[in-house]
Amino acid sequence: MRAGLVLLCAAYVLSQFYRSFLAVLTKMLETDVGTTPEDLANASGLWFLTFAAMQIPVGAALDRIGPRRTAGVLLLIGGAGGAALFGLASQPSHILLAMALIGIGCSPVLMASYYIFARVYPARLFATLAAVLLGVGSLGNLLGALPMALAAEAFGWRETLFGLAAASAVVALGLLVTVKDPERVVHDQKGSVLDLLKMPALWLIFPLTFVQYAPAAGLRGLWIGPYLTDVFGFDAGQVGNATLVMGVAMILGTFAYGPLDRILGTRKWVIFGGNLVGAVALGALWLLPAGNPWVSVALFAAIGFFCAAYPMMMAHGRSFFPTHLVGRGVTLLNLFSIGGVGIFQVITGKVHQAASVGAATTQVPFDALFALFFGAMVVGLVLYLFCRDRVD
């Protein structure tokens, strides 16, 4: 199982990479394929939306056939196949289709790992193990920043994507060989996602789950690049450095959240406090005039750090799941989280396009995005105030 977990971690590195690398290819894809920022926003959104749509069938597959085949087969077909299609793209629609396919391929990777953690390890360790995996896997976020920019310039973006397709195929085949499925739960109870949706405790967790990852993922995965390019005139290397800073902040935030529920004896207030600071940083990006570009980068980093509560959100929801519905439960929460990112990516593309018409400065369309993210975070936080705290 140890080798299997290592490869699941490697697969999650790829998943993090694929959701974040578009930011550094903006100009290259515009020149070679004819994409616009809105095209890339839609492509990024499709990655998250197809990823989210797969969570219900992935949850059922984890409970019924186990994580080995669920993760291995989908990553092979979707991850490797989608990356190869991306490398062959000659028009924007090919990018959209490739990102959708890659989203399908990446959809079971993290949840397969969380399923194993929930079934094999004590519940009190779930948040810590989830955070460690997320933190290590987030190296893919870093690889999608400056290293991706350098590789695309040195070898070409098409050749780099073909290399990633080969790497995805190797990891997928390794999962099929090394991952061991936990013993199936033998029980007399039948259940489905509908049983989880009937639990009142989860309904005040869902709204913040839906919005809290969207700002960090959306800004890091796409908008930080166009923002720094249009507002401050950054080149590809400078954008790569800035996205690297934000990516490191997201990793550090993930590790910082991991043990706090056990140290402080609460999940609710750790999640609320951290995301409140993230919302304040979003408000500052929205309301403060553009000045020193590295102040903006610092605010992006703060959003990445404090909005990295995803594993703690998963642990909070996990504490309410019955054992026989763990697979469906973690994928349901992931559906809300990743689905929120996808929906916001599509919306932000339209907001940016609409706000660009007649805008007095290049800052105006991005202020509209920051305001949207800020408002969503405030609504999610207010509703979360009324949820039940629970620590295993």
Short mmCIF file of all heavy atoms in Angstrom, two decimals, residues 281-312:
data_model
loop_
_atom_site.label_atom_id
_atom_site.label_comp_id
_atom_site.label_asym_id
_atom_site.label_seq_id
_atom_site.Cartn_x
_atom_site.Cartn_y
_atom_site.Cartn_z
N ALA A 281 -8.26 39.85 2.60
CA ALA A 281 -7.27 40.05 1.54
C ALA A 281 -7.94 40.27 0.19
O ALA A 281 -7.50 41.11 -0.62
CB ALA A 281 -6.32 38.85 1.47
N LEU A 282 -9.02 39.55 -0.08
CA LEU A 282 -9.78 39.76 -1.31
C LEU A 282 -10.36 41.18 -1.35
O LEU A 282 -10.32 41.85 -2.38
CB LEU A 282 -10.91 38.74 -1.41
CG LEU A 282 -10.56 37.36 -1.95
CD1 LEU A 282 -11.68 36.38 -1.66
CD2 LEU A 282 -10.28 37.42 -3.44
N GLY A 283 -10.90 41.62 -0.20
CA GLY A 283 -11.44 42.97 -0.12
C GLY A 283 -10.38 44.02 -0.39
O GLY A 283 -10.65 45.04 -1.04
N ALA A 284 -9.16 43.76 0.10
CA ALA A 284 -8.07 44.71 -0.12
C ALA A 284 -7.70 44.78 -1.60
O ALA A 284 -7.46 45.87 -2.15
CB ALA A 284 -6.85 44.31 0.71
N LEU A 285 -7.65 43.62 -2.29
CA LEU A 285 -7.37 43.63 -3.72
C LEU A 285 -8.43 44.41 -4.49
O LEU A 285 -8.13 45.11 -5.47
CB LEU A 285 -7.31 42.19 -4.25
CG LEU A 285 -5.97 41.47 -4.26
CD1 LEU A 285 -6.15 40.04 -4.72
CD2 LEU A 285 -4.94 42.19 -5.12
N TRP A 286 -9.66 44.29 -4.05
CA TRP A 286 -10.78 44.96 -4.72
C TRP A 286 -10.76 46.47 -4.48
O TRP A 286 -10.89 47.26 -5.42
CB TRP A 286 -12.08 44.35 -4.22
CG TRP A 286 -13.32 45.12 -4.59
CD1 TRP A 286 -13.56 45.83 -5.72
CD2 TRP A 286 -14.52 45.21 -3.80
NE1 TRP A 286 -14.83 46.38 -5.68
CE2 TRP A 286 -15.44 46.01 -4.53
CE3 TRP A 286 -14.90 44.68 -2.57
CZ2 TRP A 286 -16.71 46.29 -4.04
CZ3 TRP A 286 -16.17 44.96 -2.09
CH2 TRP A 286 -17.06 45.76 -2.81
N LEU A 287 -10.55 46.88 -3.24
CA LEU A 287 -10.76 48.28 -2.86
C LEU A 287 -9.52 49.16 -2.96
O LEU A 287 -9.63 50.37 -3.14
CB LEU A 287 -11.31 48.34 -1.43
CG LEU A 287 -12.70 47.70 -1.24
CD1 LEU A 287 -13.06 47.64 0.23
CD2 LEU A 287 -13.76 48.47 -2.03
N LEU A 288 -8.33 48.55 -2.82
CA LEU A 288 -7.12 49.36 -2.86
C LEU A 288 -6.71 49.63 -4.31
O LEU A 288 -6.79 48.72 -5.15
CB LEU A 288 -5.98 48.65 -2.12
CG LEU A 288 -6.16 48.45 -0.62
CD1 LEU A 288 -4.96 47.70 -0.04
CD2 LEU A 288 -6.33 49.79 0.09
N PRO A 289 -6.25 50.82 -4.62
CA PRO A 289 -5.79 51.10 -5.99
C PRO A 289 -4.51 50.33 -6.30
O PRO A 289 -3.72 50.01 -5.41
CB PRO A 289 -5.53 52.61 -5.97
CG PRO A 289 -5.27 52.94 -4.53
CD PRO A 289 -6.13 51.99 -3.73
N ALA A 290 -4.32 50.01 -7.58
CA ALA A 290 -3.11 49.30 -8.00
C ALA A 290 -1.90 50.19 -7.80
O ALA A 290 -1.84 51.30 -8.33
CB ALA A 290 -3.22 48.88 -9.46
N GLY A 291 -0.93 49.73 -7.01
CA GLY A 291 0.28 50.51 -6.76
C GLY A 291 1.50 49.67 -7.05
O GLY A 291 1.79 49.34 -8.20
N ASN A 292 2.21 49.28 -6.02
CA ASN A 292 3.35 48.38 -6.16
C ASN A 292 2.84 46.99 -6.53
O ASN A 292 2.03 46.41 -5.80
CB ASN A 292 4.13 48.34 -4.84
CG ASN A 292 5.43 47.55 -4.97
OD1 ASN A 292 5.46 46.48 -5.57
ND2 ASN A 292 6.49 48.09 -4.41
N PRO A 293 3.29 46.42 -7.63
CA PRO A 293 2.77 45.12 -8.05
C PRO A 293 3.03 44.01 -7.03
O PRO A 293 2.23 43.07 -6.91
CB PRO A 293 3.48 44.84 -9.37
CG PRO A 293 4.70 45.70 -9.35
CD PRO A 293 4.29 46.93 -8.61
N TRP A 294 4.12 44.12 -6.29
CA TRP A 294 4.44 43.06 -5.34
C TRP A 294 3.58 43.12 -4.08
O TRP A 294 3.47 42.14 -3.35
CB TRP A 294 5.93 43.06 -5.01
CG TRP A 294 6.70 42.71 -6.25
CD1 TRP A 294 7.41 43.54 -7.07
CD2 TRP A 294 6.78 41.39 -6.86
NE1 TRP A 294 7.93 42.84 -8.14
CE2 TRP A 294 7.57 41.53 -8.03
CE3 TRP A 294 6.28 40.15 -6.53
CZ2 TRP A 294 7.85 40.45 -8.87
CZ3 TRP A 294 6.56 39.06 -7.37
CH2 TRP A 294 7.33 39.23 -8.51
N VAL A 295 2.92 44.26 -3.84
CA VAL A 295 1.90 44.31 -2.79
C VAL A 295 0.70 43.46 -3.22
O VAL A 295 0.13 42.71 -2.43
CB VAL A 295 1.47 45.76 -2.50
CG1 VAL A 295 0.27 45.79 -1.56
CG2 VAL A 295 2.63 46.56 -1.92
N SER A 296 0.34 43.59 -4.50
CA SER A 296 -0.73 42.74 -5.03
C SER A 296 -0.36 41.27 -4.95
O SER A 296 -1.18 40.41 -4.59
CB SER A 296 -1.05 43.13 -6.48
OG SER A 296 -1.55 44.44 -6.56
N VAL A 297 0.89 40.94 -5.29
CA VAL A 297 1.34 39.55 -5.20
C VAL A 297 1.25 39.06 -3.76
O VAL A 297 0.85 37.91 -3.50
CB VAL A 297 2.78 39.41 -5.75
CG1 VAL A 297 3.32 38.01 -5.48
CG2 VAL A 297 2.81 39.71 -7.24
N ALA A 298 1.61 39.92 -2.80
CA ALA A 298 1.51 39.54 -1.39
C ALA A 298 0.07 39.26 -0.99
O ALA A 298 -0.22 38.32 -0.22
CB ALA A 298 2.10 40.64 -0.51
N LEU A 299 -0.87 40.04 -1.52
CA LEU A 299 -2.28 39.80 -1.22
C LEU A 299 -2.76 38.50 -1.87
O LEU A 299 -3.53 37.74 -1.27
CB LEU A 299 -3.13 40.98 -1.71
CG LEU A 299 -2.97 42.27 -0.89
CD1 LEU A 299 -3.69 43.43 -1.58
CD2 LEU A 299 -3.51 42.08 0.52
N PHE A 300 -2.29 38.23 -3.08
CA PHE A 300 -2.60 36.93 -3.71
C PHE A 300 -2.08 35.79 -2.83
O PHE A 300 -2.75 34.77 -2.64
CB PHE A 300 -1.96 36.84 -5.09
CG PHE A 300 -2.72 37.54 -6.18
CD1 PHE A 300 -2.15 38.59 -6.88
CD2 PHE A 300 -4.00 37.14 -6.52
CE1 PHE A 300 -2.84 39.24 -7.90
CE2 PHE A 300 -4.70 37.77 -7.55
CZ PHE A 300 -4.12 38.84 -8.23
N ALA A 301 -0.87 35.95 -2.31
CA ALA A 301 -0.28 34.92 -1.44
C ALA A 301 -1.11 34.74 -0.18
O ALA A 301 -1.32 33.61 0.30
CB ALA A 301 1.16 35.28 -1.09
N ALA A 302 -1.59 35.83 0.40
CA ALA A 302 -2.42 35.75 1.60
C ALA A 302 -3.71 34.99 1.31
O ALA A 302 -4.16 34.16 2.12
CB ALA A 302 -2.74 37.15 2.12
N ILE A 303 -4.31 35.26 0.15
CA ILE A 303 -5.52 34.52 -0.24
C ILE A 303 -5.20 33.03 -0.37
O ILE A 303 -5.94 32.17 0.11
CB ILE A 303 -6.08 35.08 -1.56
CG1 ILE A 303 -6.57 36.51 -1.35
CG2 ILE A 303 -7.20 34.19 -2.10
CD1 ILE A 303 -6.79 37.27 -2.64
N GLY A 304 -4.07 32.72 -1.02
CA GLY A 304 -3.67 31.32 -1.17
C GLY A 304 -3.46 30.64 0.17
O GLY A 304 -3.87 29.49 0.37
N PHE A 305 -2.83 31.33 1.12
CA PHE A 305 -2.52 30.75 2.42
C PHE A 305 -3.78 30.53 3.25
O PHE A 305 -4.03 29.43 3.76
CB PHE A 305 -1.55 31.66 3.18
CG PHE A 305 -1.08 31.10 4.50
CD1 PHE A 305 0.08 30.34 4.57
CD2 PHE A 305 -1.80 31.32 5.65
CE1 PHE A 305 0.51 29.82 5.78
CE2 PHE A 305 -1.38 30.80 6.88
CZ PHE A 305 -0.22 30.06 6.94
N PHE A 306 -4.60 31.57 3.40
CA PHE A 306 -5.73 31.49 4.33
C PHE A 306 -6.95 30.80 3.74
O PHE A 306 -7.84 30.37 4.50
CB PHE A 306 -6.08 32.90 4.83
CG PHE A 306 -5.05 33.46 5.77
CD1 PHE A 306 -4.15 34.41 5.33
CD2 PHE A 306 -4.97 33.01 7.08
CE1 PHE A 306 -3.18 34.93 6.19
CE2 PHE A 306 -4.00 33.51 7.94
CZ PHE A 306 -3.11 34.46 7.51
N CYS A 307 -7.03 30.69 2.43
CA CYS A 307 -8.14 29.96 1.81
C CYS A 307 -7.75 28.51 1.51
O CYS A 307 -8.38 27.85 0.68
CB CYS A 307 -8.60 30.66 0.54
SG CYS A 307 -9.36 32.27 0.83
N ALA A 308 -6.72 28.01 2.20
CA ALA A 308 -6.26 26.62 2.00
C ALA A 308 -6.88 25.67 3.01
O ALA A 308 -6.27 24.68 3.40
CB ALA A 308 -4.73 26.57 2.08
N ALA A 309 -8.11 25.96 3.44
CA ALA A 309 -8.76 25.16 4.49
C ALA A 309 -9.47 23.93 3.95
O ALA A 309 -10.19 23.26 4.69
CB ALA A 309 -9.75 26.03 5.25
N TYR A 310 -9.25 23.61 2.67
CA TYR A 310 -9.97 22.48 2.05
C TYR A 310 -9.88 21.18 2.87
O TYR A 310 -10.92 20.56 3.13
CB TYR A 310 -9.43 22.27 0.64
CG TYR A 310 -9.96 21.04 -0.05
CD1 TYR A 310 -11.18 21.06 -0.72
CD2 TYR A 310 -9.24 19.85 -0.04
CE1 TYR A 310 -11.66 19.93 -1.35
CE2 TYR A 310 -9.72 18.72 -0.66
CZ TYR A 310 -10.93 18.76 -1.32
OH TYR A 310 -11.41 17.64 -1.95
N PRO A 311 -8.69 20.73 3.30
CA PRO A 311 -8.67 19.47 4.05
C PRO A 311 -9.41 19.55 5.37
O PRO A 311 -10.02 18.57 5.82
CB PRO A 311 -7.17 19.20 4.26
CG PRO A 311 -6.50 20.50 4.07
CD PRO A 311 -7.33 21.24 3.07
N MET A 312 -9.40 20.72 6.01
CA MET A 312 -10.15 20.89 7.25
C MET A 312 -11.65 20.87 6.99
O MET A 312 -12.43 20.32 7.78
CB MET A 312 -9.74 22.19 7.93
CG MET A 312 -10.24 22.32 9.36
SD MET A 312 -9.45 21.18 10.49
CE MET A 312 -7.82 21.92 10.62
#
